[in-house]
Amino acid sequence: MVGPERAAWRRRDLLIASGLGACLPARAQGRSVTDGAGRRVNVPAQVQRIFPAGPPAAIWLYTLAPDALMGWPRANRGPELEFLLPGVGNRPEVGRLTGRGNTTNLEQLLASKPDLIVDAGSTRQTFVELADRVQAQTGIPYALLDGRLEATARGYTLLGELTGRVERAATLARYAQDTLRTVRERVARATTQPRVYYARGPEGLETGLGGSINVEMFEAMGIRHVAAGLQGGLATVSIEQVLAWDPEVIVTIDQTFSQTVAANPLWRGVSAVKSGRVHLSPKLPFGWIDFPPSVNRLPGLWWLGSKVFPSLFPEDLATLTRDFYKLFYQVDLSAAQVQRVLAGRS
């Protein structure tokens, strides 16, 4: 931790030392749970108010324990609210503790009086140290969930233990486990692998390299994407590189790119553009591919499979969408709403 972030935490340490610690909540050690990083976390017997450390955690919590979710790291907008529970989707913006631009300070966190803090994503040492520090400074238990797709079922089981929602957690874990297993088995049966490119940004020239969280969906399913041989995170590539890759399928999250690529002379020679296989991913209320990287990606596994291997994924996407939103987001969608979701537009 360096620069402004280190300075911010130093100021918080000083606040603790100067008397803020007297305001720390007294907590009975109800039970001890091992989190996704192998840390023992003592949580109260009753967990009624949970602070999400970042957007992925907020979505995990919404799907399992919406009544306990205190708020959202970023307030949801109108198009998103339509697909979330009334009274929960519009809960206040509480800021975030992790990721870029952490916006919650220690005083605000203490004043909000959560019973538990949950973060979902990486369990690297950096995040373990952050969790330990916040927990020590505030007295509020802080649990980490492994946010990888392959760990989703285990994450729900853990979150069920933490929140006391064991039965519902088992249902959601089973859906996640069955879905990931099924899509992997289907892709493994493919006799050929089309060249797939993941396009981000209005020009379509930003993509995720091999090992990036942005293309975890592809790699978890066994779908080979053309940038897999280059290891890293998000990167900007040249149109010459895309032409050399010549993808047969393009998946994008950018509406502008999807609407303009067919008329762009730079892209006309790409096989996916010539054959009309440029697909805009759904994003309401949360993206189905990589933004944010949480359990909202589960229906994206079916969607991505149907775009890359249509013959192997014959399921009706409208039915899958309606069922997922009912089970996870706890909302009933009309046929028109389902079509709006699948169109990938706001």
Side-chain angles (χ1 to χ4, degrees), residues 52-74:
I59 300 172
W60 276 88
L61 289 166
Y62 171 84
T63 60
L64 180 64
D67 54 308
L69 177 64
M70 292 174 53
W72 300 86
R74 176 191 68 80

Side-chain angles (χ1 to χ4, degrees), residues 130-183:
L130 174 63
D132 288 343
R133 179 188 288 267
V134 172
Q135 187 170 274
Q137 290 181 327
T138 64
I140 303 167
Y142 191 135
L144 296 170
L145 304 181
D146 185 339
R148 293 174 300 159
L149 268 172
E150 66 181 37
T152 302
R154 295 194 301 274
Y156 269 121
T157 300
L158 169 58
L159 198 55
E161 291 182 56
L162 290 165
T163 64
R165 278 78 167 178
V166 176
E167 186 174 342
R168 176 164 171 79
T171 299
L172 302 184
R174 188 162 49 250
Y175 179 101
Q177 187 173 41
D178 291 348
T179 293
L180 192 54
R181 183 185 65 250
T182 301
V183 299

